[in-house]
Amino acid sequence: MRDHRPGRQQRHRRHDGHRRHVRHHRHVRHDRHHRHGRISIVALAALLASGGLAAAQAPGAADPPATGSRVTAIEYVRVFDGAAVYADRTVVIRDDRIAAFGPAGSTAVPADAERVDGRGLTLLPGLIDAHTHSFGDALERALDWGVTTELDMFNVAAMAQTLREQQAKGQAGNRADLFSAGTLVTAAGGHGTQFGLPIPTLERAEDAAAFVAERVAEGSDYIKIVIENGSVIERDLPTLDAERVAAVIAAAHDHDKLAVVHVSTLEGATTAIEAGADGLVHLHHDGEHDQAAEAALVRLARERGVFVVPTLSVLESLAGTSGAAAMAEDPELAAHLTDTQKQGLRSGFGRQSGEQATAAFARMLARARAMEEAGVPVLAGTDSPNPGTAHGVSMHRELELLVRAGLSPTDALAAATSRTAKAFGLADRGRIEEGAKANLVLVEADPTSEITATRDIVAVWKDGVRHEPAIHGQSEASVHPNVELGLFGRFDGSLDAPYGAWMPTTDQLAGGKSTVEVALVDSGADGTVGAIEMSGELAAGYAFPWSGVLFGPGAVPLSDAVDVSGADRIVFWARAPEGETPLAVMLFAQSFGQIPRQARVELSSQWQRFEVPLEAFGTQGADVTGVVFSAVARGPFTIQLDEVSWTPRQ
């Protein structure tokens, strides 16, 4: 990716005004058991950071609509228009649309146009990621990497609706556009409910019509259905049966909505297609099947006209063969990656290794190849930000993996542009043609011959405006290097801490209705002088309610960080005087972005000592920005907390 920041020296002087873009541009629960109860780790969590949802929704954060006409002409450029490749073309952008596309030299260029010399470069439609979970700053980071649209497969419905409203007003120039399934459709206790986020579930086929109508009223652009029995991760999960799946698909079609299905097994994929699904948003990734069974599924998919989003980036991580970490180590790419993106690329599910992992991923590549060869539309989606992925940058890994699976480079590019636009009915994007949205990516060399050339981005246009990507490389907030381990929550007559501060926190920061009062009480745990008590109500009114206390260890809570990597666990005492109730412990870190990770313990009326390993949150503790202790069960609560500490490593 080229660095086109003002003042940067040009590498290629011929690019009129183009500066060098240096090449750039969890919703899975891991269960651990502890003698004080089960800890469920949340990678998606509740957008709990007070700035997370608010920042995503604030209209002031988006670009205002353009006033006056704005014209750009990209000349003598190789063009992939979403289907075919053309040499020496001129593309004229007027405001937010493509005004002209034709042979260079004979296509009229307005006198007031900004002229861009495209010789030696390739112009692509803006990339479309067909499977994401777009929380926090996902859409901004996606745009840095030429992904101008994300198709989200599970999100906070209210947030997605707000973002769509801003898009409609032309106020999304600084981020990728979002289309979203909103709340997914799953069974009670099934996949999608494991994040500690209360969502509605479907128990009876006869309730499907009302359930889907509620999703449509919330603004869902399509309906996402889950068929997941947990077998691929060696767990037993409740899942929707064929009757409920068929009822949901029929209801979605009654509302003229696509029905797309999460599957992990060949049996689940077959059930989805036979029930009338429009697309599968994963390849099946269970064990080996005989060739006849695999061929039967491919034949069924072709006959029923479904599309498939293989999500090879996340399946590579799931298989245990991920090569995404190398992207985080590439110094030219790393300058345009946040700490969160780097950690995402370096992480992985790690379920297998060695020859077993290699064989597992080879099966997945073969399944994608079979779909492509049979004429089943294969679309490019990453399932970011799951382990082994990161928003934006992982699309370039996905393209590489699609080519490894057997797609030609032009077919892989079509999978990330025109095919996805056609499959999801996005008529205004995914192609370079007159009247289409001016969402464009200019790259070095020729990705229609060598797919990895997409990583060398020269420029990105979103709605006709040239985007200036963020430059990262350093943490965006300071890290205190010498934090004191041991107690940081004593509560013996005071909320004072050796560093940082304790404070109440509720979802009212994000428009919720939960309440909390914090007080000091006498007679704490294990004979201590006192404890902190939080009491209030966890109320409906926000999709992912929270209420409790926050410890911000740095000068700015949830921003400035401390290094507690000398500790291996967080230890605390807690009880619920009025009876048993769950408690969520949410850890924030710079490397997590705005999305915390969560552990849950079960409280009784008696004081208990809990120990939660930092590794349970997926961190060594080098950049902690906050800890939240929150009620989980809806309704009134009273919870007491005492003797909170970082326990040094032995």
Side-chain angles (χ1 to χ4, degrees):
M1 176 175 174
R2 294 171 178 266
D3 186 346
H4 55 244
R5 289 176 291 169
R8 283 296 213 191
Q9 184 177 1
Q10 298 178 30
R11 191 182 78 166
H12 296 284
R13 299 286 182 183
R14 67 175 183 270
H15 302 151
D16 299 341
H18 279 61
R19 299 177 176 86
R20 172 73 176 157
H21 239 311
V22 175
R23 184 167 53 91
H24 101 274
H25 256 115
R26 226 146 152 173
H27 63 246
V28 174
R29 182 177 71 186
H30 304 282
D31 284 342
R32 298 177 181 271
H33 288 81
H34 183 264
R35 63 190 178 93
H36 293 300
R38 188 177 69 180
I39 300 171
S40 53
I41 307 307
V42 177
L44 189 60
L47 274 179
L48 192 78
S50 59
L53 181 63
Q57 293 185 345
D63 292 343
T67 56
S69 184
R70 178 180 57 250
V71 185
T72 302
I74 307 165
E75 302 178 277
Y76 299 97
V77 67
R78 180 188 302 105
V79 172
F80 172 73
D81 71 347
V85 184
Y86 302 87
D88 291 330
R89 284 318 195 248
T90 289
V91 175
V92 178
I93 304 168
R94 182 175 294 278
D95 296 328
D96 65 342
R97 298 283 162 171
I98 296 172
F101 169 38
S106 60
T107 299
V109 175
D112 60 345
E114 175 192 356
R115 304 176 81 119
V116 177
D117 186 345
R119 280 173 282 202
L121 308 179
T122 303
L123 189 67
L124 311 170
L127 304 177
I128 305 172
D129 192 330
H131 189 142
T132 69
H133 300 280
S134 306
F135 292 89
D137 63 352
L139 299 175
E140 287 83 355
R141 301 291 72 79
L143 188 58
D144 287 348
W145 292 87
V147 176
T148 57
T149 304
E150 288 201 344
L151 304 184
D152 177 274
M153 293 296 162
F154 178 24
N155 209 309
V156 181
M159 184 180 78
Q161 190 170 26
T162 297
L163 295 174
R164 288 292 310 280
E165 290 171 355
Q166 291 176 356
Q167 288 167 203
K169 296 175 183 177
Q171 297 175 338
N174 65 337
R175 64 178 189 247
D177 284 342
L178 177 77
F179 297 89
S180 179
T183 303
L184 49 71
V185 187
T186 192
H191 180 67
T193 66
Q194 74 268 40
F195 311 128
L197 314 180
I199 63 170
T201 56
L202 181 65
E203 295 312 298
R204 304 186 308 165
E206 51 265 41
D207 296 331
F211 192 99
V212 170
E214 290 176 0
R215 306 289 76 75
V216 173
E218 290 173 347
S220 293
D221 295 297
Y222 36 86
I223 303 300
K224 161 82 173 290
I225 303 162
V226 173
I227 302 177
E228 177 58 76
N229 62 17
S231 60
V232 295
I233 55 174
E234 299 179 347
R235 295 187 56 208
D236 185 12
L237 291 177
T239 192
L240 299 175
D241 55 22
E243 183 184 10
R244 281 178 285 174
V245 171
V248 173
I249 292 172
H253 291 166
D254 286 344
H255 288 275
D256 293 324
K257 299 291 184 182
L258 292 176
V260 300
V261 187
H262 164 111
V263 299
S264 61
T265 66
L266 185 146
E267 179 183 6
T270 302
T271 296
I273 298 173
E274 289 180 340
D278 299 290
L280 307 180
V281 292
H282 290 295
L283 271 174
H284 63 288
H285 45 278
D286 49 350
E288 295 185 68
H289 301 284
D290 61 54
Q291 292 184 350
E294 294 281 6
L297 177 67
V298 173
R299 185 166 55 252
L300 181 64
R302 182 185 65 238
E303 292 171 351
R304 297 296 180 89
V306 305
F307 58 80
V308 176
V309 187
T311 62
L312 293 174
S313 295
V314 77
L315 295 189
E316 181 186 32
S317 173
L318 190 64
T321 61
S322 180
M327 301 180 79
E329 309 309 325
D330 184 321
E332 290 188 323
L333 299 182
H336 298 270
L337 293 170
T338 66
D339 290 341
T340 302
Q341 288 174 305
K342 291 174 187 175
Q343 176 154 321
L345 293 171
R346 290 168 180 154
S347 63
F349 287 104
R351 299 190 185 281
Q352 303 171 108
S353 61
E355 294 182 1
Q356 185 183 25
T358 301
F361 191 55
R363 287 196 299 271
M364 298 171 196
L365 292 173
R367 289 165 183 169
R369 182 182 309 116
M371 291 289 185
E372 176 72 13
E373 290 176 348
V376 175
V378 172
L379 314 184
T382 65
D383 204 3
S384 296
N386 267 287
T389 69
H391 285 277
V393 65
S394 283
M395 174 54 73
H396 301 275
R397 179 64 176 170
E398 187 72 20
L399 291 171
E400 182 182 5
L401 293 175
L402 287 172
V403 171
R404 279 182 56 187
L407 278 70
S408 70
T410 53
D411 285 335
L413 291 169
T417 55
S418 59
R419 285 188 188 178
T420 297
K422 181 179 179 180
F424 281 84
L426 307 176
D428 63 349
R429 66 196 69 209
R431 298 294 295 262
I432 295 177
E433 59 187 13
E434 291 184 13
K437 283 177 69 73
N439 292 347
L440 301 166
V441 187
L442 187 64
V443 303
E444 181 70 39
D446 182 8
T448 66
S449 297
E450 173 49 62
I451 194 64
T452 56
T454 62
R455 303 177 185 189
D456 199 347
I457 294 178
V458 177
V460 174
W461 286 268
K462 170 73 192 313
D463 294 334
V465 177
R466 185 160 172 172
H467 172 66
E468 295 293 340
I471 304 298
H472 303 286
Q474 299 293 326
S475 296
E476 297 175 356
S478 61
V479 176
H480 191 296
N482 298 310
V483 69
E484 180 181 348
L485 299 181
L487 280 170
F488 60 91
R490 187 181 296 275
F491 313 126
D492 287 350
S494 170
L495 291 179
D496 291 346
Y499 51 89
W502 288 90
M503 63 197 74
T505 180
T506 76
D507 54 34
Q508 291 186 30
L509 292 166
K513 299 179 180 179
S514 298
T515 61
V516 72
E517 293 184 2
V518 174
L520 294 170
V521 296
D522 295 332
S523 301
D526 200 28
T528 62
V529 173
I532 188 173
E533 181 178 273
M534 41 185 166
S535 59
E537 182 177 5
L538 198 68
Y542 177 59
F544 310 131
W546 80 88
S547 179
V549 291
L550 160 69
F551 176 69
V556 180
L558 305 184
S559 178
D560 290 335
V562 297
D563 183 353
V564 295
S565 57
D568 64 357
R569 64 194 61 234
I570 183 171
V571 177
F572 60 95
W573 290 73
R575 75 183 189 111
E578 297 174 0
E580 296 182 355
T581 192
L583 172 72
V585 184
M586 299 182 181
L587 190 75
F588 292 80
Q590 287 178 354
S591 53
F592 297 167
Q594 295 173 330
I595 304 175
R597 300 186 183 177
Q598 181 186 115
R600 186 177 296 186
V601 297
E602 295 292 332
L603 306 184
S604 72
S605 60
Q606 302 299 312
W607 283 108
Q608 296 180 76
R609 184 176 184 270
F610 297 91
E611 299 184 2
V612 183
L614 291 181
E615 67 177 17
F617 299 103
T619 181
Q620 295 295 309
D623 59 349
V624 172
T625 59
V627 184
V628 168
F629 296 85
S630 173
V632 174
R634 295 283 184 95
F637 68 88
T638 300
I639 294 172
Q640 294 178 354
L641 185 70
D642 199 10
E643 299 288 285
V644 187
S645 66
W646 308 111
T647 299
R649 296 180 184 275
Q650 299 301 317

